[in-house]
């Protein structure tokens, strides 16, 4: 996944540079849209195959339901008849799954890049059209990024970026990977006390791929690392310095001897956060809802109407996804990606249905003239 993550970060920065050359403001917002469009074009054949498979399944669904009802008392017979039915109609019920499986790593990598501290460090303070900040979720107590203080509430948690930039006592510099950004930090106090400094220590075993031994840490002059309040996506770049174990570390050493070693530690001032609604993000969510409804209608336009629980589920599904955006701190950049994706899916679905209908209802092929010799 790191390969996909790095590729996505490289591409979005490339698109951003292109928009900068064109003197277009809101470069990272446009870069997200451009990257989403690029990926949809690359995966166009797979998406088209998936759309056609879903349309065929919807077309055959009434007959499939009849078979299931007819042989509901004979499961083995039902399976045989279903296989025969699929063979007669030249349809593979799993043909729509393969395109989806191929694309899953791509979209996971893209999503991971958009919520990563590495991307937020570059684009976090960017405006885009009506969006004040691409890092803002719908509602948060976030402060301003990179102002060297966190706006926090008691239960907030932190994650880090994937790269630790180190300066040694000798003056040499190096970059090391953080192998698990979700676990490398030890944060005190717990729960947090807004207005009091938060202490952050790095667990050496998650640094540098194989971990940092104490002797190596003592050679470091300072290290800087991106740290993100995971509850608000507020980002700061903190300086860490070699520090001996504190009382909490020595207590943990009773069960974990490695806790008594030197670590890289930092302190960051905090203020009590006040939750506010970011109206630009709300507009994005409403646009996403509209795009999803349009896409759903285009998918069911030429198919028999669903009945019962299936119909209710199809109606509720868009609002279930939207509810997720209301209750989880999803950054505006991710929602922008979702809006662009849904609109492109709608366009592609409309194009596939239009082109297939045109082929089906177009002019018949010109007949060939065959010379037939009269019988003698």
């Amino acid at each position: 996944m790191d390969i996909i993550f790095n590729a996505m970060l490289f591409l979005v920065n490339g698109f951003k540079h292109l928009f900068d050359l064109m003197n277009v403001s809101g470069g990272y917002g446009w870069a997200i849209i451009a990257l989403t469009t690029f990926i949809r074009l690359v995966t166009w054949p797979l998406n088209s195959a998936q759309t056609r498979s879903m349309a065929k399944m919807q077309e055959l669904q009434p007959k499939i339901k009849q078979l299931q009802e007819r042989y509901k008392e004979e499961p083995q017979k039902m399976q045989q008849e279903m296989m025969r039915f699929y063979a007669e109609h030249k349809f593979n019920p799993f043909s729509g799954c393969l395109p989806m499986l191929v694309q899953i790593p791509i979209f996971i990598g893209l999503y991971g890049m958009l919520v990563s501290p590495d991307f937020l460090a570059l684009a976090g303070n960017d405006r885009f059209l009506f969006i004040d900040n691409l890092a803002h979720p719908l509602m948060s107590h976030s402060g301003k990024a990179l102002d060297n203080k966190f706006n926090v509430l008691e239960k907030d948690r932190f994650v880090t970026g994937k790269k630790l930039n180190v300066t040694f006592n000798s003056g040499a510099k190096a970059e090391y990977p953080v192998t698990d950004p979700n676990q490398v930090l030890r944060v005190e106090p717990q729960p947090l006390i807004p207005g009091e400094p938060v202490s952050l220590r790095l667990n050496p075993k998650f640094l540098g791929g194989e971990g940092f031994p104490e002797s190596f840490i003592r050679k470091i002059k300072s290290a800087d690392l991106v740290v993100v309040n995971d509850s608000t996506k507020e980002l700061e770049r903190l300086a860490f310095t070699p520090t001996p174990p504190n009382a909490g570390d020595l207590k943990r050493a009773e069960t974990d001897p490695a806790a008594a070693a030197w670590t890289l530690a930092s302190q960051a001032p905090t203020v009590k956060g006040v939750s506010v609604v970011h109206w630009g993000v709300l507009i994005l969510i409403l646009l996403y809802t509209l795009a999803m409804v349009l896409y759903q209608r285009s998918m069911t336009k030429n198919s028999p109407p669903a009945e019962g629980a299936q119909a209710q589920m199809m109606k509720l599904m868009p609002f279930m996804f939207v509810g997720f955006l209301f209750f989880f701190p999803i950054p505006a950049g991710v929602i922008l990606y979702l809006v662009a994706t849904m609109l492109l899916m709608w366009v592609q679905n409309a194009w596939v249905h239009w082109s297939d209908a045109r082929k089906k209802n177009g002019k018949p092929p010109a007949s060939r003239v065959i010379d037939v010799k009269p019988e003698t």
Side-chain angles (χ1 to χ4, degrees):
M1 291 306 296
D2 280 346
I3 295 175
I4 298 176
F5 173 92
N6 292 327
M8 295 299 170
L9 193 59
F10 174 80
L11 286 172
V12 80
N13 283 325
F15 283 119
K16 167 62 165 59
H17 181 64
L18 180 62
F19 286 113
D20 285 345
L21 292 176
M22 297 166 61
N23 200 26
V24 176
S25 60
Y28 271 111
W30 292 116
I32 291 171
I33 295 173
L35 178 58
T36 306
T37 304
F38 172 76
I39 291 173
R40 296 301 302 185
L41 290 174
V42 169
T43 58
W44 183 280
L46 294 174
N47 292 320
S48 297
Q50 183 180 349
T51 299
R52 290 188 173 97
S53 177
M54 292 173 66
K56 186 71 172 178
M57 174 61 85
Q58 290 173 344
E59 179 186 334
L60 299 177
Q61 193 61 40
K63 295 180 181 179
I64 293 174
K65 191 173 181 181
Q66 289 177 4
L67 282 175
Q68 291 172 336
E69 185 66 26
R70 183 183 303 170
Y71 298 106
K72 62 181 179 181
E73 304 295 336
E74 305 174 79
Q76 189 171 357
K77 178 70 173 175
M78 181 196 295
Q79 186 175 7
Q80 293 173 351
E81 291 298 321
M82 292 287 285
M83 296 301 294
R84 185 179 303 160
F85 176 80
Y86 289 140
E88 288 175 358
H89 290 81
K90 299 179 181 179
F91 176 69
N92 181 354
F94 301 106
S95 59
C97 298
L98 181 59
M100 186 182 299
L101 291 175
V102 171
Q103 296 176 75
I104 284 175
I106 297 174
F107 293 113
I108 290 177
L110 177 56
Y111 175 83
M113 183 273 292
L114 290 173
V115 299
S116 70
D118 307 77
F119 177 73
L120 295 177
L122 298 170
N125 284 325
D126 264 26
R127 286 183 60 92
F128 176 69
L129 300 179
F130 50 82
I131 305 165
D132 290 334
N133 191 311
L134 288 172
H136 280 162
L138 173 62
M139 179 179 289
S140 77
H141 50 275
S142 172
K144 186 177 180 180
L146 300 174
D147 65 351
N148 295 317
K149 63 182 178 182
F150 283 108
N151 288 29
V152 300
L153 294 177
E154 289 79 3
K155 295 183 179 180
D156 287 355
R157 59 184 298 271
F158 298 91
V159 297
T160 73
K162 294 186 175 183
K163 295 177 181 178
L164 182 75
N165 297 302
V166 173
T167 300
F168 294 95
N169 293 321
S170 63
K173 295 184 178 181
E175 183 181 272
Y176 295 92
V178 176
T179 54
D180 194 336
N182 293 301
Q183 296 189 48
V184 69
L185 282 177
R186 293 203 296 265
V187 181
E188 293 176 345
Q190 288 293 335
L192 299 178
I193 305 173
E196 296 292 329
V198 58
S199 175
L200 305 109
R201 283 176 173 259
L202 302 182
N203 190 333
K205 73 177 182 179
F206 294 112
L207 300 173
E210 298 180 358
F212 281 1
E214 180 177 342
S215 57
F216 184 83
I217 291 175
R218 290 179 184 240
K219 297 178 182 178
I220 294 174
K221 181 179 180 181
S222 67
D224 71 86
L225 180 65
V226 168
V227 177
V228 175
N229 183 342
D230 201 36
S231 303
T232 65
K233 305 307 177 186
E234 180 184 350
L235 175 146
E236 304 295 341
R237 186 177 290 278
L238 302 181
F240 289 79
T241 54
T243 307
N246 60 19
D249 291 325
L250 293 174
K251 186 175 181 180
R252 276 189 289 269
E254 297 174 3
T255 55
D256 180 13
W262 279 50
T263 58
L264 294 170
S266 179
Q267 277 199 335
T270 69
V271 295
K272 185 175 178 62
V274 178
S275 291
V276 296
V277 175
H278 300 290
W279 298 104
V281 181
L282 178 60
I283 294 172
L284 267 185
I285 293 175
L286 295 177
L287 287 174
Y288 177 63
T289 306
L290 176 61
M292 187 178 287
V293 170
L294 287 172
Y295 174 70
Q296 189 184 66
R297 287 185 177 180
S298 72
M299 287 295 296
T300 58
K301 182 178 179 180
N302 300 315
S303 60
E307 300 176 356
Q310 183 182 3
Q312 293 299 321
M313 179 60 69
M314 291 183 68
K315 290 178 181 178
L316 291 175
M317 190 173 294
F319 302 101
M320 292 169 62
F321 279 107
V322 171
F324 181 83
L325 300 179
F326 273 98
F327 294 105
F328 289 86
I330 306 298
V334 174
I335 304 174
L336 179 63
Y337 150 69
L338 293 175
V339 172
T341 297
M342 194 55 64
L343 287 172
L344 289 168
M345 287 172 65
W346 173 56
V347 170
Q348 181 170 20
N349 185 64
W351 170 263
V352 168
H353 284 301
W354 177 82
S355 60
D356 287 356
R358 188 166 178 237
K359 290 178 183 177
K360 185 177 180 181
N361 301 321
K363 294 180 180 180
S367 57
R368 293 190 305 170
V369 177
I370 302 176
D371 291 331
V372 180
K373 295 181 179 180
E375 294 183 2
T376 56

